[in-house]
Amino acid sequence: GIGPQHIATFGSLENIILGKSEIFKSTIPRGIAFINGSDEYSKFVYENLPMPKKYLYSTEEGHFYSINEIFSLDGTDFDFVYPGGVINFKTNLIGKQFLENLIGALACAYILGINLEELKEIINNIKLLPHQFQVVKKSNPIIIDDSYNSNLIGVIKGAEFFLSLPINYKILFFAGILELGVETPNYYKKLIEIFKNFDKIILTFKDYTEVFEEYLYDKVIIYKKQKVEELIKGLPKEDLGILILGRIPKNLLEEILAL
């Protein structure tokens, strides 16, 4: 996938696209390329790659994709569509962002001649590093910890999944996104439509917080070392969900995880 992450370093989204395209230089023309077709920039890279063995995945316009997805806090059930047919998988991973990566891995496996049936148990028990969209608690309150890092696409997809859960009160702890450069306010504005569906948004950073305050008003709280109990005051834990996006302060994270 291609997004504006590190745009402060690369200078522009166009430079990021060019940089990603350069990854394939050593594989042209005889290598094999697998490209995530879920965003328009990656499709641009795919269309301009001068090689015969290239595969687009995670889009129905491509060669490999998923259908009949069922997402829950316990994992994901989906049908994998590939040139050889359709096969059902279950995985302990949650959220669409992980599913896209998994489809890419299954695409590679199929092209390399691996028997997909033999992968079912492995895919159902994948182990991730801590803090990578990890379900810490499933009730009273529900807590999902995605504090490993953050980028614009991951924030959007993670928030969309969380908001789809049947929880009455939803709180977001957001650490901001680094290296977006002078375009940071414009990219933050793209998050407003999603963030407005949370009951509270606690921001743990300082720069450009006014973007959220201007559009989300009293839903926004700037973290100033308040205790978690104060931040969630007035909301019942038994009907509450907490999503952590980005590297919030360690002491705050520990307080949340201890709820």
Side-chain angles (χ1 to χ4, degrees):
I2 296 175
Q5 192 73 356
H6 308 303
I7 202 166
T9 302
F10 282 87
S12 69
L13 189 57
E14 290 74 17
N15 286 341
I16 293 175
I17 295 169
L18 289 172
K20 293 270 186 166
S21 299
E22 289 173 356
I23 292 172
F24 298 97
K25 280 188 176 179
S26 62
T27 66
I28 297 170
R30 297 184 179 180
I32 306 173
F34 297 88
I35 298 178
N36 187 340
S38 66
D39 73 82
E40 58 183 302
Y41 306 118
S42 294
K43 286 181 184 177
F44 175 83
V45 173
Y46 172 82
E47 290 165 0
N48 288 277
L49 268 185
M51 53 199 301
K53 291 185 179 179
K54 56 181 182 179
Y55 301 95
L56 199 62
Y57 67 87
S58 287
T59 172
E60 293 188 11
E61 301 170 32
H63 309 86
F64 304 89
Y65 55 93
S66 62
I67 57 174
N68 303 324
E69 302 97 338
I70 300 174
F71 299 101
S72 75
L73 289 175
D74 296 311
T76 306
D77 186 300
F78 66 99
D79 291 331
F80 175 57
V81 180
Y82 66 109
V86 181
I87 181 172
N88 178 260
F89 285 102
K90 293 178 176 61
T91 178
N92 58 318
L93 302 179
I94 66 170
K96 192 171 183 180
Q97 64 275 33
F98 284 125
L99 182 55
E100 289 179 4
N101 293 335
L102 192 53
I103 296 301
L106 286 168
C108 292
Y110 173 74
I111 294 299
L112 293 173
I114 297 172
N115 186 336
L116 297 182
E117 287 285 347
E118 295 176 0
L119 299 178
K120 284 194 169 185
E121 185 175 348
I122 296 170
I123 286 173
N124 200 24
N125 297 284
I126 293 174
K127 291 184 179 179
L128 293 172
L129 291 170
H131 313 298
Q132 292 189 325
F133 218 76
Q134 177 184 10
V135 180
V136 180
K137 287 185 68 178
K138 292 185 180 180
S139 62
N140 304 327
I142 292 170
I143 302 174
I144 295 181
D145 176 9
D146 195 30
S147 61
Y148 186 80
N149 61 16
S150 64
N151 59 70
L152 187 68
I153 296 172
V155 165
I156 291 171
K157 291 182 178 178
E160 286 176 343
F161 169 78
F162 184 79
L163 290 167
S164 72
L165 297 173
I167 310 167
N168 278 337
Y169 302 99
K170 299 180 174 74
I171 294 180
L172 171 64
F173 286 83
F174 182 46
I177 303 172
L178 299 176
E179 296 188 30
L180 293 177
V182 295
E183 290 296 319
T184 300
N186 293 328
Y187 284 115
Y188 278 177
K189 285 177 183 176
K190 293 182 179 181
L191 299 175
I192 299 300
E193 280 300 307
I194 298 170
F195 282 14
K196 73 179 184 181
N197 296 300
F198 287 89
D199 295 282
K200 286 187 181 180
I201 302 101
I202 293 92
L203 306 179
T204 64
F205 57 98
K206 295 179 181 179
D207 295 334
Y208 305 112
T209 56
E210 65 274 7
V211 174
F212 298 100
E213 291 176 299
E214 180 182 353
Y215 292 96
L216 299 174
Y217 311 110
D218 57 352
K219 284 190 175 186
V220 176
I221 299 174
I222 307 299
Y223 175 66
K224 296 178 181 178
K225 298 186 179 181
Q226 305 97 315
K227 293 293 183 182
V228 167
E229 294 290 350
E230 181 183 346
L231 294 169
I232 67 172
K233 185 170 58 178
L235 297 176
K237 289 184 183 178
E238 64 274 10
D239 205 7
L240 183 65
I242 295 175
L243 174 63
I244 305 164
L245 292 177
R247 295 185 185 182
I248 65 174
K250 185 178 178 181
N251 63 307
L252 177 60
L253 177 62
E254 290 173 351
E255 281 189 50
I256 297 170
L257 300 185
L259 285 171

